[in-house]
Amino acid sequence: MPHVLDRIRVGSAPDSWGVWFPDDPRQVPWDRFLDEVAEAGYEWIELGPYGYLPTDPARLREEVDRRGLRVSAGTVFTALHRGPGVWADTWAHVGRVAALTRAMGARHLVVIPSFWRDDRTAEILEPPELTTEQWGHLARGMERLGREVKETYGLDIVVHPHADTHIDTEAHVARFLDATDPALVGLCLDTGHYAYCGGDSVRLIETYGERLGYLHLKQVDPAVLADVVARGLPFGPAVQRGVMCEPPHGVPELGPVLEAAQKLGVDLFAIVEQDMYPCEPDRPLPIAERTRRFLRSCGA
């Protein structure tokens, strides 16, 4: 029998329904997502890209309540390594998302760093390695963001290492965590992105467990990933090739990840995010139902 993972709260997200953008004709409508995520057996959801779900708090509250759903987090995108000059635009974006997140009763804001290459065209937007000065801007900027989000909205930020960003590999994640104040900056460990970039999720949890504030659950297909690496493909085309696959058919094994998280002795969200943009509209629900059954078999 699997261990009972009573500190882990499982959910899913628009990402698992092929949603990457606030509005895109290739994505399922938001009401269908809400209907199907509830039907699949999930109680918790994320907001997804701001503007995909209704942004009026009263309307969104009504929509999620009548489906028995609750919101765990919102998501923001930042480029704080560029220095104080980007703060005003960053805070304007963060404020919109944070206000809705707080209004929905959630406590977390997932922070994703900006991409260094375009996730569709592969155009190189910036060097993949930051300078020492840029690392300083990134660390101080995230600490400021953590402080001001907490003071203004009562939310905790959790920074999400992500493929094709400057916080991706084990070395970059460790450098970022070592450079930031644990009281201000938490970690959202995405098991799929970390494996995509060569990282070991269980080792990260065991090494930096006190920083872990949130989990995204996904798996990578090793054969597809090897081809992606060999071809130097950006993340968008890699997803279209199926690099993020349905559990339990990829890596890392999610059972040991969840057990390592359980051992931390804190309550954690574990939100399923199987990148599938773009996908056929009838594809996500059966996968979501099977994934929920699989996670129950792990004790979650």
Side-chain angles (χ1 to χ4, degrees):
M1 287 290 291
H3 296 101
V4 176
L5 304 174
D6 58 357
R7 307 304 295 264
I8 308 297
R9 291 167 288 182
V10 171
S12 193
D15 191 45
S16 299
W17 268 254
V19 175
W20 275 11
F21 303 101
D23 185 39
D24 188 304
R26 294 195 287 182
Q27 297 175 170
V28 297
W30 63 267
D31 51 346
R32 179 171 178 176
F33 159 69
L34 290 179
D35 288 342
E36 292 188 354
V37 73
E39 183 181 344
Y42 293 101
E43 179 182 354
W44 294 95
I45 61 165
E46 290 185 1
L47 295 176
Y50 182 78
Y52 174 66
L53 295 177
T55 56
D56 174 69
R59 183 174 184 208
L60 183 55
R61 170 74 68 183
E62 179 185 347
E63 295 287 351
V64 299
D65 282 355
R66 68 185 181 86
R67 295 171 173 88
L69 298 169
R70 290 188 282 175
V71 174
S72 61
T75 302
V76 296
F77 295 86
T78 60
L80 293 169
H81 66 284
R82 295 176 189 165
V86 302
W87 178 260
D89 286 345
T90 301
W91 187 248
H93 164 60
V94 168
R96 287 190 295 271
V97 180
L100 182 59
T101 302
R102 179 180 65 178
M104 298 309 296
R107 298 282 306 277
H108 295 89
L109 200 62
V110 177
V111 181
I112 298 179
S114 59
F115 283 48
W116 55 260
R117 65 175 168 182
D118 190 285
D119 63 339
R120 288 178 165 181
T121 68
E123 177 191 358
I124 303 298
L125 306 173
E126 296 181 81
E129 291 286 339
L130 296 178
T131 66
T132 300
E133 181 184 34
Q134 288 173 321
W135 274 110
H137 287 320
L138 178 61
R140 302 294 79 75
M142 284 296 188
E143 288 176 335
R144 181 182 179 186
L145 190 68
R147 183 184 301 108
E148 298 202 16
V149 165
K150 187 72 168 179
E151 290 175 354
T152 308
Y153 298 101
L155 306 176
D156 293 325
I157 71 164
V158 283
V159 176
H160 181 320
H162 196 291
D164 289 356
T165 77
H166 297 107
I167 309 177
D168 50 1
T169 61
E170 287 189 335
H172 286 165
V173 171
R175 181 169 181 172
F176 174 75
L177 292 174
D178 290 344
T180 49
D181 184 345
L184 299 173
V185 180
L187 172 69
C188 171
L189 169 58
D190 184 302
T191 59
H193 279 280
Y194 203 52
Y196 184 102
C197 299
D200 182 323
S201 288
V202 171
R203 184 163 66 220
L204 183 64
I205 294 170
E206 292 174 347
T207 307
Y208 286 98
E210 75 284 356
R211 304 299 295 273
L212 186 65
Y214 204 90
L215 278 169
H216 279 169
L217 301 180
K218 63 166 67 87
Q219 287 189 322
V220 173
D221 181 320
V224 177
L225 179 62
D227 183 59
V228 164
V229 172
R231 295 170 181 264
L233 294 177
F235 185 64
V239 167
Q240 292 181 27
R241 287 171 176 255
V243 73
M244 299 299 181
C245 62
E246 178 182 343
H249 306 303
V251 297
E253 284 188 71
L254 294 181
V257 172
L258 291 167
E259 289 185 18
Q262 169 78 14
K263 288 177 185 175
L264 297 175
V266 297
D267 292 332
L268 289 166
F269 285 106
I271 305 299
V272 177
E273 274 203 335
Q274 184 185 341
D275 289 292
M276 294 199 295
Y277 177 85
C279 69
E280 294 300 317
D282 292 336
R283 189 165 171 241
L285 177 58
I287 292 175
E289 291 174 327
R290 289 192 297 267
T291 300
R292 187 68 192 95
R293 286 196 297 271
F294 166 69
L295 291 173
R296 284 195 184 97
S297 77
C298 295

